[in-house]
Amino acid sequence: MSVQLASAALVGMCLASMPAFAQVPAEVEACRLSGLAALKERSPSIEHLTFDIQSLAISKADTRVEDTPIRMVVMGDAYLQRENSDKPNRFVCLVSDKGKVVLTFFTKQ
């Protein structure tokens, strides 16, 4: 019995020490892909767009932009990897009620 108790305590300590990884909504990936496509149109040298998951603010919303319902706002840091540079940028992404990206906006910090 004490071996089982010790084993359970060890497993509990291991699980408690593991980092917690929050599940990122699919809309975040939609924001990233939409943003990358838009950026590549203006700057074909951009090869990658990475969101800093720890900086993300993902907020449910119940608002509209004219006639378009907005159900999620995603904000955070993004890294645009070009051929020779990788600079942090802030971004805002608006997602409609159907999961479609309505707007992705990037700005340098």
Side-chain angles (χ1 to χ4, degrees), residues 66-93:
E66 294 196 6
D67 293 334
T68 305
I70 303 300
R71 296 297 176 249
M72 184 177 287
V73 178
V74 181
M75 299 178 286
D77 293 333
Y79 293 89
L80 312 176
Q81 188 174 41
R82 301 170 193 248
E83 292 173 4
N84 295 326
S85 66
D86 191 15
K87 298 177 182 179
N89 291 261
R90 295 289 292 165
F91 76 93
V92 174
C93 179

Side-chain angles (χ1 to χ4, degrees), residues 22-78:
Q23 208 167 11
V24 177
E27 291 88 351
V28 173
E29 180 64 3
C31 287
R32 190 188 70 77
L33 293 173
S34 174
L36 180 59
L39 290 167
K40 283 183 86 62
E41 283 181 18
R42 285 185 259 150
S43 298
S45 64
I46 296 175
E47 297 176 10
H48 303 284
L49 174 61
T50 305
F51 289 166
D52 178 2
I53 300 301
Q54 292 182 346
S55 76
L56 290 184
I58 302 168
S59 302
K60 290 187 178 185
D62 187 16
T63 190
R64 293 182 168 276
V65 174
E66 294 196 6
D67 293 334
T68 305
I70 303 300
R71 296 297 176 249
M72 184 177 287
V73 178
V74 181
M75 299 178 286
D77 293 333

